[in-house]
Amino acid sequence: MRLGQYSGMRFFVTLIVMLSGWAWAAQAQSATTTLQDCLQPREMQEAVVSKGVVAPAKAVITARRQVPNAEVLRANLCRADEGLVYVITALQKDGRIVQVMVDGPSGNVKSIR
């Protein structure tokens, strides 16, 4: 392989990696936009004890059943119009970010995005 071909190929691979990174960052940013009114860890603990919200571990287990083989990145308890909702963010093996919304009081899945 000549040096010119190697440089062109290297540029092409670098370009693909950069575009993939930008696409992943945009997807991750859109996935976290719903996390604007979430409880702090202490508030989450109080909500579990006083308001009858399911434990975070139960919400994570429920989310894992919906997106098997995904790595859970974050679990937040957030305020929504309909009450408290767990927002479970997971990374699938294909690189996609998925959010599983779990109803706080019941522990049932509300939506998957």
Side-chain angles (χ1 to χ4, degrees):
M1 186 180 291
R2 294 186 321 208
L3 183 59
Q5 288 175 328
Y6 176 74
S7 296
M9 195 164 143
R10 185 174 177 188
F11 171 77
F12 179 72
V13 170
T14 302
L15 181 64
I16 295 296
V17 169
M18 286 175 45
L19 290 175
S20 298
W22 286 333
W24 181 84
Q27 186 177 14
Q29 184 178 11
S30 69
T32 58
T33 55
T34 59
L35 300 178
Q36 295 182 5
D37 194 18
C38 297
L39 281 63
Q40 296 296 319
R42 179 181 227 154
E43 294 173 308
M44 186 187 307
Q45 185 178 21
E46 291 171 3
V48 170
V49 172
S50 67
K51 297 182 182 175
V53 176
V54 299
K58 183 176 180 182
V60 168
I61 289 168
T62 300
R64 282 191 173 146
R65 287 186 188 130
Q66 297 299 312
V67 283
N69 300 320
E71 178 183 347
V72 173
L73 303 175
R74 177 184 299 171
N76 292 86
L77 184 59
C78 303
R79 294 175 187 91
D81 293 337
E82 60 276 356
L84 294 174
V85 177
Y86 280 100
V87 180
I88 313 294
T89 305
L91 175 64
Q92 293 184 320
K93 291 194 183 247
D94 63 2
R96 290 185 297 154
I97 300 286
V98 177
Q99 280 188 335
V100 181
M101 311 296 250
V102 177
D103 182 59
S106 70
N108 295 328
V109 174
K110 294 179 70 79
S111 67
I112 301 172
R113 321 184 210 170

